[in-house]
Amino acid sequence: MKVSWCFLVISAICAAIIEGQPSTQGFTSIDCGAPSGTTYKDSTGIFYVSDDSYIDTGKNYNIDPKYTSTSNQALTLRSFPEETRNCYTLWNVTKGEKYLVRATFLYGNYDGKQMAQHSTPLQFNLYIDVNLWRTVNITDASSEYAHEVVTVAANDFIWVCLVDIKAGTPFISALELRPLKDNLYPYTFPNQSNAILFRLNYGPTKNVTIRYPDDPYDRIWPWYQYDTTMLKSISTTASFTRYRDDQYEAPFSVLQTALTPVSSSNLPTVSFDAPSNNPNFPGYYTVLHMTELQELSGNQSRQFDIFLNDWIWVSSLTLPHGMAYYRSDVVAQLYSNIKFTLVKMTNSSLPPILNGMEVYWPITMEVNQLTSAGDVKGIMDIKDDYNIIRNWNGDPCSPTNFSWHGVVCNTDEPPQITSLNLSYSGLSGKISFSFASLQSITYLDLSHNNLSGDIPDILGEMSKLQVLKLSGNHLNGQVPDTLIKKNNSGLLLLLSEAYHWCTTRT
Ligand SMILES: *[C@@H]1O[C@H](CO)[C@@H](O)[C@H](O)[C@H]1NC(C)=O
Ligand SMILES: *[C@@H]1O[C@H](CO)[C@@H](O)[C@H](O)[C@H]1NC(C)=O
Ligand SMILES: *[C@@H]1O[C@H](CO)[C@@H](O)[C@H](O)[C@H]1NC(C)=O
Ligand SMILES: *[C@@H]1O[C@H](CO)[C@@H](O)[C@H](O)[C@H]1NC(C)=O
Ligand SMILES: *[C@@H]1O[C@H](CO)[C@@H](O)[C@H](O)[C@H]1NC(C)=O
Ligand SMILES: *[C@@H]1O[C@H](CO)[C@@H](O)[C@H](O)[C@H]1NC(C)=O
Ligand SMILES: *[C@@H]1O[C@H](CO)[C@@H](O)[C@H](O)[C@H]1NC(C)=O
Ligand SMILES: *[C@@H]1O[C@H](CO)[C@@H](O)[C@H](O)[C@H]1NC(C)=O
Ligand SMILES: *[C@@H]1O[C@H](CO)[C@@H](O)[C@H](O)[C@H]1NC(C)=O
Ligand SMILES: *[C@@H]1O[C@H](CO)[C@@H](O)[C@H](O)[C@H]1NC(C)=O
């Protein structure tokens, strides 16, 4: 247990921020493409596992040994040449709680095809549940592309899907899930996730990346490379006090360095563009982390205005001494180009400083398009009972382009499964009770498999069922009365020849 920075702050706040090594409880850390059963603790102290219990499609590869990576996770990957959509199911989540999900991609010419050229990028889409998160656009075979999204779990699992858009075979190197405190990233709701455009740490003088354990949420804070003729680094080893309702909790190691102008009085920050090809783009939220690192003497002052393009975003800002401070957008800002400029006030003795920056954009979550939870559970159980692979992953009904082969859904909100065709599917064993979980099903075709044993009573309790096809199996025993009754009142029941004698009872 490490007790630091307590000397400087009052004890009430101190109690809340005594920290040891932060917990990795609730972290899911998947090294995609690692051999089945792999587990290891990497240099960050985080425990990684192979991906076999999170996905059942795709093929494992190593990157070409000519490429290297600083992270162990990027040496292997899983590639998806077959189905259009392939999904990981992140199981260890609680519905309604907030998470950071990070997907990482390093191509490394794993397939020997020299894809990912600047002229012909390797591209595919990334989905979070049934919603488009972003397009992955890989133009450098040796770079690690890490994309993060903050989301509220709509179920007791989160789907992360890779979708082929005919610009190369989708693949993934690592997938990570980190629980977040509920007050962080405040504009994240069940109906709205937020994708990180970038996050930067201003002030380090060399290329360092901050993540866990410095950031207990294991966000990645890359180094901002700066022009040393224009900007200079200032730093401290002191700690700060956090506001109780800090909505971003930038790690102290990020806040302990900052950039400030060498001679100019203004601090231009990076500018960034809205995607020009998306007329529905909602805009960006920006967070500027600005924490005073210097002990200002009596006649010193630091006061500045922040401009967003030509508009005053914050005026006459003075940084409260010793506090982890930031300013952020409360609505997404929609401009084709966004540029923040920090401008020293004429009567201020010191120029502006900037310690860190985050930019993210909202993604609308179509929660009403998620298949009804009972049907999802039922069909996932059926999938497990018969070990069905096909394209059966992700949401069974949505988006409709990717609905499961053999599954038909209605257009209700939420959608429900109305038809299931598993004929000629090589099913063997008994008829699963899980079929009865599909409450809205009208058509069920299990014909021409290798099913054996009894026909369970429970099939007769599926109230909406109109057609049940069981012929071409090895079923035996009596047909349940419930089914006979239903057939007599109109259910179309197709059985194998062996059953004719017992279905003609009166
Ligand atoms: C994740 O969930 C699975 C199944 O619910 C459980 O067996 C496993 O222990 C969980 N893992 C962690 C790290 O919580
Ligand atoms: C893909 O990345 C390249 C290089 O960064 C860029 O020039 C191109 O515009 C990007 N394409 C898309 C669709 O974002
Ligand atoms: C999304 O959810 C938030 C919080 O529950 C709510 O304030 C907002 O109106 C919702 N937005 C839409 C478009 O439904
Ligand atoms: C910093 O180092 C990482 C990992 O080695 C590398 O991917 C990245 O491009 C470097 N960044 C800069 C700005 O040099
Ligand atoms: C600020 O005060 C210090 C001594 O307290 C003095 O040496 C210095 O010249 C002053 N600077 C200005 C700009 O007044
Ligand atoms: C600078 O001037 C503004 C008004 O123009 C005033 O509010 C502010 O307190 C002054 N700041 C300093 C450091 O003197
Ligand atoms: C779904 O299919 C339609 C028609 O084939 C196509 O226009 C649309 O782009 C597809 N949507 C996705 C998300 O692939
Ligand atoms: C059901 O699936 C089988 C096998 O895939 C296929 O041959 C048949 O046409 C399907 N039936 C319907 C009604 O789609
Ligand atoms: C059919 O199921 C029986 C036992 O349930 C099994 O012995 C047999 O190998 C299966 N046949 C096929 C073709 O799967
Ligand atoms: C279903 O009911 C019809 C009469 O409605 C009857 O002719 C048929 O034999 C019954 N079929 C089975 C399989 O019970």
Side-chain angles (χ1 to χ4, degrees):
M1 196 74 153
K2 190 176 75 187
V3 183
S4 53
W5 65 76
C6 286
F7 313 101
L8 296 174
V9 296
I10 56 169
S11 61
I13 295 168
C14 196
I17 55 168
I18 292 173
E19 288 170 3
Q21 178 95 334
S23 168
T24 58
Q25 195 177 2
F27 283 25
T28 298
S29 309
I30 305 172
D31 183 348
C32 305
S36 173
T38 301
T39 62
Y40 62 89
K41 195 178 253 192
D42 90 345
S43 57
T44 56
I46 295 172
F47 196 71
Y48 283 82
V49 299
S50 56
D51 55 2
D52 38 311
S53 49
Y54 299 93
I55 194 158
D56 53 22
T57 53
K59 200 163 169 245
N60 292 353
Y61 287 90
N62 296 320
I63 60 168
D64 184 324
K66 285 201 219 90
Y67 292 86
T68 55
S69 167
T70 47
S71 78
N72 210 20
Q73 294 85 54
L75 300 176
T76 61
L77 57 88
R78 189 179 284 248
S79 157
F80 302 95
E82 286 187 357
E83 298 295 344
T84 304
R85 177 181 71 168
N86 291 275
C87 301
Y88 280 80
T89 309
L90 297 171
W91 299 104
N92 296 88
V93 311
T94 304
K95 180 176 173 168
E97 298 203 341
K98 207 176 272 185
Y99 296 91
L100 174 80
V101 176
R102 178 167 52 238
T104 304
F105 310 88
L106 188 147
Y107 171 65
N109 194 28
Y110 74 90
D111 54 2
K113 291 182 181 163
Q114 308 285 356
M115 303 289 285
Q117 304 291 327
H118 207 84
S119 52
T120 50
L122 170 54
Q123 293 179 332
F124 48 89
N125 282 346
L126 204 53
Y127 278 67
I128 180 95
D129 286 340
V130 301
N131 312 283
L132 179 62
W133 163 3
R134 63 175 298 145
T135 298
V136 180
N137 176 21
I138 300 175
T139 53
D140 177 4
S142 61
S143 283
E144 217 173 291
Y145 294 77
H147 297 309
E148 294 183 357
V149 68
V150 178
T151 193
V152 174
N155 271 309
D156 281 332
F157 47 78
I158 292 173
W159 285 305
V160 175
C161 306
L162 294 94
V163 173
D164 192 329
I165 53 170
K166 302 199 161 57
T169 303
F171 74 91
I172 184 166
S173 307
L175 185 59
E176 297 162 304
L177 171 103
R178 312 293 182 227
L180 291 179
K181 270 190 354 200
D182 194 51
N183 68 315
L184 299 182
Y185 298 89
Y187 309 107
T188 313
F189 311 111
N191 62 14
Q192 179 170 306
S193 295
N194 284 296
I196 308 296
L197 179 67
F198 63 82
R199 188 184 292 119
L200 286 169
N201 178 12
Y202 288 81
T205 51
K206 60 181 195 309
N207 188 353
V208 291
T209 298
I210 289 188
R211 56 175 294 189
Y212 180 86
D214 283 3
D215 188 329
Y217 307 104
D218 192 31
R219 289 168 293 184
I220 287 185
W221 298 82
W223 167 60
Y224 176 75
Q225 191 173 15
Y226 59 96
D227 178 349
T228 51
T229 63
M230 304 283 289
L231 296 169
K232 66 176 187 222
S233 171
I234 56 174
S235 67
T236 180
T237 53
S239 294
F240 312 106
T241 303
R242 263 194 215 298
Y243 292 100
R244 279 184 184 280
D245 61 348
D246 188 336
Q247 294 172 328
Y248 294 95
E249 294 195 8
F252 288 169
S253 57
V254 168
L255 300 181
Q256 281 166 338
T257 61
L259 286 181
T260 193
V262 171
S263 53
S264 148
S265 54
N266 297 351
L267 187 59
T269 75
V270 277
S271 72
F272 46 97
D273 296 326
S276 53
N277 56 355
N278 181 358
N280 301 318
F281 186 70
Y284 291 116
Y285 291 95
T286 301
V287 189
L288 299 184
H289 296 280
M290 296 162 295
T291 292
E292 182 57 74
L293 304 183
Q294 289 173 322
E295 199 81 56
L296 302 190
S297 63
N299 58 4
Q300 283 182 315
S301 64
R302 190 190 307 282
Q303 198 171 31
F304 53 99
D305 293 323
I306 305 175
F307 287 84
L308 162 50
N309 298 349
D310 293 330
W311 303 93
I312 287 257
W313 192 61
V314 177
S315 77
S316 311
L317 180 62
T318 310
L319 303 178
H321 181 253
M323 301 300 288
Y325 191 76
Y326 64 87
R327 294 301 286 258
S328 57
D329 280 315
V330 295
V331 292
Q333 301 281 4
L334 183 54
Y335 297 96
S336 56
N337 170 267
I338 289 183
K339 193 170 93 189
F340 282 91
T341 315
L342 284 60
V343 179
K344 180 171 107 64
M345 291 186 69
T346 46
N347 57 354
S348 167
S349 66
L350 296 169
I353 60 169
L354 183 61
N355 312 56
M357 181 167 180
E358 294 177 81
V359 178
Y360 59 88
W361 79 91
I363 300 170
T364 301
M365 300 295 277
E366 302 288 354
V367 279
N368 294 331
Q369 299 303 314
L370 287 166
T371 304
S372 91
D375 281 13
V376 172
K377 166 127 188 26
I379 196 102
M380 281 180 157
D381 288 346
I382 292 165
K383 175 183 163 163
D384 282 353
D385 290 342
Y386 299 109
N387 203 7
I388 300 168
I389 308 277
R390 307 182 172 190
N391 73 334
W392 280 31
N393 52 58
D395 191 88
C397 301
S398 297
T400 45
N401 289 27
F402 311 129
S403 67
W404 293 9
H405 296 161
V407 172
V408 177
C409 304
N410 61 21
T411 55
D412 289 5
E413 295 187 345
Q416 291 151 324
I417 295 171
T418 55
S419 162
L420 179 56
N421 176 6
L422 282 172
S423 66
Y424 298 99
S425 297
L427 313 185
S428 63
K430 298 192 164 181
I431 294 181
S432 166
F433 287 5
S434 303
F435 289 109
S437 309
L438 306 178
Q439 295 279 323
S440 302
I441 201 162
T442 60
Y443 179 100
L444 178 58
D445 187 350
L446 301 176
S447 63
H448 305 287
N449 285 296
N450 186 21
L451 297 168
S452 55
D454 295 334
I455 301 177
D457 280 359
I458 200 163
L459 292 188
E461 289 160 18
M462 299 167 71
S463 59
K464 304 221 170 116
L465 195 61
Q466 291 163 11
V467 177
L468 175 61
K469 298 187 180 178
L470 296 173
S471 50
N473 284 293
H474 303 110
L475 299 165
N476 54 45
Q478 295 239 316
V479 178
D481 281 347
T482 51
L483 274 180
I484 304 274
K485 282 199 194 109
K486 285 207 69 177
N487 178 51
N488 290 342
S489 58
L491 172 78
L492 174 61
L493 179 60
L494 299 179
L495 298 165
S496 66
E497 292 67 24
Y499 275 105
H500 282 168
W501 68 271
C502 70
T503 56
T504 52
R505 301 181 300 187
T506 49

